[in-house]
Amino acid sequence: MGRKKKKQMKPWCWYCNRDFDDEKILIQHQKAKHFKCHICHKKLYTGPGLAIHCMQVHKETIDGVPNAIPGRTDIELEIYGMEGIPEKDMEERRRVLEQKTQAESQKKKQNNQDDSDEYEEDEEAGPSFQQPAVQPQTSYITPMTQPGMPPVHGAPAVPPGNFAGMPPMMPGVPHMMPGMPPVMPGMPPGMMPMGGMMPPGPGMPPMMPGMPPGMPPPVGHRPGMSHMTQVPPVTTPGILSQPAMTAATTPAPQPAVTKPLFPSAGQAQQAVTGPVGADFKPLNTPATTSDPPKATFPAYTQSTASTTNPSSSTVSKPPATVTSKPATLTTTSATSKLIHPDEDISLEERRAQLPRYQRNIPRPGQAHMAVPPVGPMGGMMPPQQAMPPQQPGMRHPMHGQYGAPPQGMPGYMPGGMPPYGQAPPMVPPFQGGPPRPPMGMRPPVMSQGGRY
Amino acid sequence: MSLFGTSSGFGTGGTSVFGGATTDSHNPMKDVEVTSPPDDSISCLAFSPPAMPGNFLIGGSWANDVRCWEVQDNGQTVPKAQQMHTGPVLDVCWSDDGSKVFTASCDKTAKMWDLNSNQAMQIAQHDGPIKTIHWIKAPNYTCVMTGSWDKTLKFWDTRSPNPMMSLQMPERCYCADVVYPMAVVATAERGLIVYQLENQPSEFRRIDSPLKHQHRCVAIFKDKQNKPTGFALGSIEGRVAIHYINPPNPAKDNFTFKCHRSNGTNTATPQDIYAVNAIAFHPVHGTLATVGSDGRFSFWDKDARTKLKTSEQLDQPITACCFNHNGNIFAYASSYDWSKGHEYYNPQKKNYIFLRNAAEELKPRNKK
């Protein structure tokens, strides 16, 4: 399907090393990711253009191209699509891709190549769908905009390994993401778009499509990856999140369980996940990996990240903060605010801690609610075991809320109305009709016998 | 608005006493109000299964009660019965035949409520509040699965006081969903575990969370052959991840989308990001509904990756939602979820449950 041809000429973005299906998409990507003003979001055409715009319109200087990987942030280099890319970078990319593809082919052999073939197909079809999705930040379509993962977003980051698993022949199979790492034109066949790993700007970054569980290791194989390494680190986090996926996608194995849904129950995702994160970093230049997020986006401060994720710092936090103490979230950032209490515990846990919601197990014998049916109740079932007011700690005393219920609750049915403050009219329907639930449920709720 | 698919100009259903036709923000969508709502925040809603004729809605609340209403075809809701726990009720579910309702509470117990006799008995015990409860019907066993903040997932044969099985989880259970043979549990610290339920429940895979914030709700979706194939996971950061278990192309098939945020693209003011409190899939169309702390509900088509509808903003967060068995009714609860802390809690504020006709609005968008 003309893969070869594509592979060689595959447009790639010099700023972030991502691959694209065609130049138009590449340009759209560059305009949206690299040449977009962080202040007013106007999309310019080139780096210098953006710099000039910021200076003239906002009186602000920018020191680098946004969302670019380290080393590729030169704001003065006029690059548009594939034009303007320095020759030496082009060559470097060809080399890298070539090495990647070779390493990939070895990997492929071990893993299921059949699946890879399928993936290729899918991936190629991908970009067209994905591309549009990249734009809308706030709309539903924004795929996986990992909060705080700007690097992932823009940077191919995903280590080449990402693509591992893709059939060795992935000649330039993009990987469907517009962000696919640049597949240099002229790459020898079999060059794996390593870039592919990139996580997809939209969609699942981390997921390396078709990455066999063994994927991470392959990453390490690429000696030539150093170049790419910069990128990978960035996406590591993203990648991490989906390692499991890879395992899942590589059905290959043995369907231990009957249904295809759970093909290999014993897959050691952990193995995949661990190494994915760990390998990516160490495998690639540790230096670059050390502080991926910051390094990659010199031009943008947290604010950029914030627009997509409320708190970049929070992003890094959850994974790191594994303590059982209620870690705190960073809920506010420059451009967004998380409407949630600071502690990293669930809303229900927080609420349940309050004294008003603490309850003791009713003493035996208290099972029946001592609440007499309030007038209209007409003898509705008294009880339901409400918490007798005497119970200590009952929020009862605290806020009348409970006070009312005892009367009304028993039956929020007919009799219950009044306590709710609802107008009696509501009641009539019930009273008139079957006063009690036809089911005849009347007896006290809790049958003591049922207690264990 | 008619509740059940026929346009009878139903309006608010006539069961609301408080001037159902008002446009105040407690019911901006002019949906049917369920009568006798609980006195405190509603934590969970569940409609009766198809095996039962008619529609019965169960709602659990922080007032320690579980209520049952019959929802009639004309939209009228009739309170039927109520049961109590000694602590706030966090989750409810039905048995597959519709004869029993299971309730899970902060009082560390779960109960089985036999609707015919209106008797409830305890069937489970944990060391911490039970956050999730689900009925599992497998060809070779049936049981109740409870997930608790005590970090265990237990399976109970309702006839025995001891669990059939107890699985350890890495962290406290925050939400779960079951569609045989798959179960998904999301825990604190962004844990995510998939279980396979065939023969007996066992952990299938631990997944690295596709989300970067605390998990809050999860719902399994099915494929065209009606088999569970993935799940939607919501977090406190206004985002939902659609995740397939074995997608042909994970990078492409899995994605996340933002929701329940204020300010759209206006960057002049900080964007408010709200938690996604619940997700529910339409049983027929496969489209999904999300409800959030912002007091809105939204309908989405995950295959076309588009939003179908977003509601007006209610004056309180929406804490729970569910569809009835045939997808004609969408129920959602408006009550405080504690998203702004203790200070914003007003015990006097009324809590609502609304019912909406869901047959039309959740039809999938044609794929572009």
Side-chain angles (χ1 to χ4, degrees), chain A residues 356 359 387-389 393-404 406:
Chain A
R356 74 200 278 143
R359 275 202 169 331
M387 336 316 115
M394 217 59 62
R395 46 173 158 151
H396 198 103
M398 287 194 222
H399 36 182
Q401 201 172 30
Y402 237 79

Side-chain angles (χ1 to χ4, degrees), chain B residues 98-149:
Chain B
S99 64
K100 316 270 190 299
V101 169
F102 297 93
T103 59
S105 164
C106 283
D107 65 11
K108 310 178 192 172
T109 71
K111 295 192 181 168
M112 175 171 76
W113 178 9
D114 182 322
L115 295 170
N116 292 324
S117 62
N118 197 21
Q119 298 263 6
M121 58 184 248
Q122 180 176 345
I123 51 136
Q125 181 73 47
H126 270 265
D127 297 324
I130 305 181
K131 179 68 174 61
T132 65
I133 190 161
H134 291 84
W135 172 254
I136 299 178
K137 175 119 171 79
N140 57 330
Y141 71 92
T142 56
C143 68
V144 176
M145 179 181 95
T146 52
S148 162
W149 289 344

Side-chain angles (χ1 to χ4, degrees), chain A residues 29-103:
Chain A
H29 152 83
Q30 285 176 339
K31 285 178 66 176
K33 282 259 134 14
H34 304 302
F35 305 149
K36 185 154 97 161
C37 173
H38 67 290
I39 302 169
C40 67
H41 297 302
K42 180 175 169 63
K43 294 194 203 129
L44 285 305
Y45 286 87
T46 65
L50 172 64
I52 292 167
H53 162 85
C54 283
M55 178 57 73
Q56 292 178 343
V57 174
H58 307 297
K59 310 283 183 289
E60 196 176 297
T61 52
I62 63 175
D63 50 341
V65 172
N67 297 314
I69 60 177
R72 296 287 180 87
T73 61
D74 190 353
I75 195 77
E76 302 195 354
L77 208 46
E78 176 131 358
I79 290 182
Y80 181 70
M82 292 293 287
E83 292 168 30
I85 296 181
E87 182 57 29
K88 75 170 174 54
D89 287 332
M90 289 283 257
E91 282 171 11
E92 200 184 342
R93 178 153 185 90
R94 278 188 215 119
R95 258 185 291 122
V96 166
L97 284 174
E98 188 176 339
Q99 284 162 347
K100 243 218 250 224
T101 335
Q102 286 169 359

Side-chain angles (χ1 to χ4, degrees), chain B residues 8-279:
Chain B
S8 60
F10 200 69
T12 52
T15 50
S16 157
V17 185
F18 314 93
T22 57
T23 47
D24 65 288
S25 56
H26 87 273
N27 185 11
M29 301 305 289
K30 315 249 189 51
D31 287 325
V32 175
E33 237 180 79
V34 168
T35 54
S36 304
D39 292 318
D40 204 346
S41 302
I42 293 125
S43 57
C44 47
L45 292 172
F47 266 106
S48 51
M52 241 175 131
N55 289 293
F56 289 83
L57 175 66
I58 294 283
S61 84
W62 282 78
N64 300 11
D65 62 353
V66 190
R67 300 189 176 195
C68 175
W69 296 264
E70 178 184 1
V71 181
Q72 293 165 345
D73 287 343
N74 60 358
Q76 292 259 358
T77 52
V78 181
K80 287 292 193 201
Q82 171 176 319
Q83 287 290 335
M84 301 295 300
H85 267 268
T86 52
V89 175
L90 298 182
D91 200 11
V92 290
C93 73
W94 289 80
S95 62
D96 61 306
D97 61 359
S99 64
K100 316 270 190 299
V101 169
F102 297 93
T103 59
S105 164
C106 283
D107 65 11
K108 310 178 192 172
T109 71
K111 295 192 181 168
M112 175 171 76
W113 178 9
D114 182 322
L115 295 170
N116 292 324
S117 62
N118 197 21
Q119 298 263 6
M121 58 184 248
Q122 180 176 345
I123 51 136
Q125 181 73 47
H126 270 265
D127 297 324
I130 305 181
K131 179 68 174 61
T132 65
I133 190 161
H134 291 84
W135 172 254
I136 299 178
K137 175 119 171 79
N140 57 330
Y141 71 92
T142 56
C143 68
V144 176
M145 179 181 95
T146 52
S148 162
W149 289 344
D150 69 1
K151 306 188 187 175
T152 64
L153 194 65
K154 293 189 196 253
F155 300 82
W156 308 84
D157 174 328
T158 59
R159 299 159 297 193
S160 162
N162 294 320
M164 290 158 61
M165 176 181 285
S166 179
L167 296 175
Q168 191 64 30
M169 294 190 290
E171 257 291 354
R172 299 151 278 166
C173 174
Y174 276 179
C175 52
D177 195 13
V178 169
V179 173
Y180 186 81
M182 178 167 137
V184 176
V185 176
T187 69
E189 305 297 336
R190 298 163 59 241
L192 191 52
I193 312 161
V194 178
Y195 295 86
Q196 70 84 22
L197 305 171
E198 276 184 86
N199 291 326
Q200 65 172 27
S202 62
E203 192 177 302
F204 170 64
R205 179 184 300 162
R206 292 203 177 177
I207 298 181
D208 273 349
S209 173
L211 297 175
K212 298 283 173 259
H213 286 74
Q214 187 191 111
H215 296 163
R216 184 137 179 85
C217 50
V218 69
I220 293 175
F221 56 81
K222 301 187 273 199
D223 57 17
K224 305 265 189 305
Q225 289 76 39
N226 227 28
K227 299 243 175 309
T229 185
F231 55 88
L233 176 69
S235 75
I236 57 170
E237 184 246 352
R239 192 183 296 266
V240 170
I242 299 290
H243 193 97
Y244 289 82
I245 299 295
N246 281 327
N249 193 338
K252 189 164 76 155
D253 296 334
N254 297 331
F255 63 96
T256 68
F257 61 91
K258 296 193 274 197
C259 49
H260 301 290
R261 297 174 176 217
S262 65
N263 289 356
T265 48
N266 172 14
T267 50
T269 58
Q271 184 181 51
D272 289 328
I273 299 182
Y274 296 87
V276 182
N277 284 331
I279 302 175

